[in-house]
Amino acid sequence: MDLPGIVITGASGRMGQMLVKGVMAHDRARLVACVERAGHAWVGRDVGECMGGAALGVTVTDDPLEAFAKAQAVIDFTAPAATVEFAALAAQARAVHVIGTTGLEASHLARIDAASRHAVIVRAGNMSLGVNLLVKLTQKVAAALDADWDIEVIEAHHRMKVDAPSGTALMLGQAAAEGRGVSLDDARVSGRDGITGTRERGTIGFSAIRGGDIVGEHDVLFAADGERIVLRHVATDRTIFARGAIRAALWGQGQKPGQYDMMDVLGL
């Protein structure tokens, strides 16, 4: 019982179920609750049985505050509106809040920032070790090359993904902008269509592909006259994200209140 207790929000989703399995299999954490929205078919039932397996002794609840109150960490891969509510409740419970939710806008980030004054929040567009290494490499390469090198971030995901560009693509674009010493908001170009004119020097382009069951593929293309550099990460199994999220939840124990990312967790 001394192991940190973890709550999984959005337990019925693909990532939610992966996280439930990951925590149950982990030797340094325990699953204390699972949360779903009010009216969901899983509420009031054992999460293991809902997932088609044996009972795990954890009942799915629609009361996040009660769940968070008995936990040391919350892992949250849900939706922006839900995540900002969970951030306030996790802060109230003084639980580490690990956020893998993407599609967050400025208004959401402001509320998450407010919550981080009272509790530890680890937020990342991608929890995998490989992607975070790619982010670091992207920043270094962008810093070494001038604006004669065009930068494009190309990402591919499954047909069910609802936001674009992906959170990971935005992480990579931000890393490129920081390396180049510019604002991503000023340099960003997304979704070209029609007669767009020639490319403006120094911009950072984004392209999104959606199809099939693609877990996640990200390329950062640096292109100049006569040569190209391509940095690439391919995810083939969502367990990499679950492993990273659980690692973040454990790392957050004992940290001072504030916002952190996977670079902090991995010491990069």
Side-chain angles (χ1 to χ4, degrees), residues 175-200:
E178 289 174 1
R180 186 163 275 182
V182 300
S183 164
L184 181 59
D185 288 340
D186 294 337
R188 175 177 170 178
V189 175
S190 297
R192 299 182 187 88
D193 185 47
I195 307 301
T196 61
T198 59
R199 182 190 178 104
E200 183 179 344

Side-chain angles (χ1 to χ4, degrees), residues 151-206:
I151 302 176
E152 290 284 318
V153 181
I154 306 112
E155 55 101 340
H157 283 87
H158 52 88
R159 64 168 69 93
M160 301 302 291
K161 187 167 179 61
V162 298
D163 59 306
S166 69
T168 303
L170 292 172
M171 285 173 61
L172 294 165
Q174 183 62 42
E178 289 174 1
R180 186 163 275 182
V182 300
S183 164
L184 181 59
D185 288 340
D186 294 337
R188 175 177 170 178
V189 175
S190 297
R192 299 182 187 88
D193 185 47
I195 307 301
T196 61
T198 59
R199 182 190 178 104
E200 183 179 344
R201 187 176 188 270
T203 54
I204 298 173
F206 289 84

